[in-house]
Amino acid sequence: MLMELNSQAAIAQPGHFYAVGVGPGAPDLLTLRAARLIESAGVIVAPRSERSDESLALAAIRDLIGEQEVIENIYPMERDRERTEQCWRTVAEQVAERCARGLAVVQVTIGDPLIYSTSAYLIEALLDGLMPRERVHAVPGISAFQVAAARFIDPLTIQEDRLMLMPATDMEAVASALDRCETLVLYKVGPRLKALAALFRERGLLGQARLACRAEQGEGESYLQDLTGDLPGELGYMSIVIVRVGRKEWR
Ligand SMILES: C[S@@+](CC[C@H](N)C(=O)[O-])C[C@H]1O[C@@H](n2cnc3c(N)ncnc32)[C@H](O)[C@@H]1O
């Protein structure tokens, strides 16, 4: 059965919620749709982790902020399901209350709202009895893997290649993924670069592994074309690795 999907309005509609991807951070990598929704919203919700001083998403759209109410919500970074759900339930109640008053609410999030994003928690909490599905929308943004690939001018896939995206948090899972795709994208690299490099060395992949840190975020932005040389000591949270494992044979 075909599902009727939410129509996307050019401007934010009263009583609706939009999870809007704002891209990696550079203001000119924001989509026109995202910009129109942000400008026309009554309320902007901007997530900020308890470990950082500012919301990256908010910094990316600073020029579009005028009269909108801005709610900066601080969310926990540790893996505590109860605390995380409670935090997003509270934000969802604030969103639903404003939508019920006829305001349009936009949550801004770095990259794409459906790829490793806090938007997933907020959408889940809203759809859990607070708002009807037809008033909840997701607007795509340019994700980190697209920005990094563009910087290296490396095709991510060609012909029948398989592309996998995963966090670099479980080294066994990363090792097994290398056997099952032609390109592997690793989010959340942070402190695991050395362990990843050791694994790639074993597989003869150091020359095909690329690293992007704070891609398109200005300050602290850096790139490594391969991991064969000296590696940086401490990597921040905003780092991603792309490994071109091989090319799938044409059948
Ligand atoms: C919470 S996820 C956000 C992902 C985001 N929704 C997206 O689509 O790109 C955070 C992870 O995304 C990656 N990331 C996001 N933006 C990045 C950037 N500009 N440069 C490098 N890595 C980035 C990093 O791996 C980071 O640990």
Side-chain angles (χ1 to χ4, degrees), residues 26-47:
D28 61 345
L29 285 176
L30 190 75
T31 67
L32 288 176
R33 181 177 294 175
R36 284 191 199 117
L37 289 169
I38 291 162
E39 281 175 326
S40 58
V43 184
I44 308 282
V45 177

Side-chain angles (χ1 to χ4, degrees), residues 56 99 137 231:
L56 278 173
C99 287
H137 313 267
L231 298 179

Side-chain angles (χ1 to χ4, degrees), residues 53-80:
D53 300 334
E54 66 161 353
S55 159
L56 278 173
L58 197 56
I61 59 148
R62 203 158 285 293
D63 291 349
L64 303 178
I65 303 285
E67 298 292 298
Q68 306 95 318
E69 176 193 7
V70 175
I71 303 176
E72 228 184 317
N73 73 284
I74 297 170
Y75 63 89
M77 279 291 272
E78 80 249 34
R79 289 183 180 203
D80 180 332

Side-chain angles (χ1 to χ4, degrees), residues 23-25 75 109-118 141-145 147 186-190 212-217 236-241:
Y75 63 89
T109 186
I110 209 79
D112 183 89
L114 302 179
I115 297 181
Y116 302 122
S117 168
T118 54
I142 299 175
S143 187
F145 78 98
V147 176
L186 296 165
Y187 281 75
K188 307 181 186 183
V189 171
C213 301
R214 298 193 61 114
E216 296 287 353
Q217 287 178 353
Y237 178 62
M238 284 293 160
S239 44
I240 190 167
V241 162

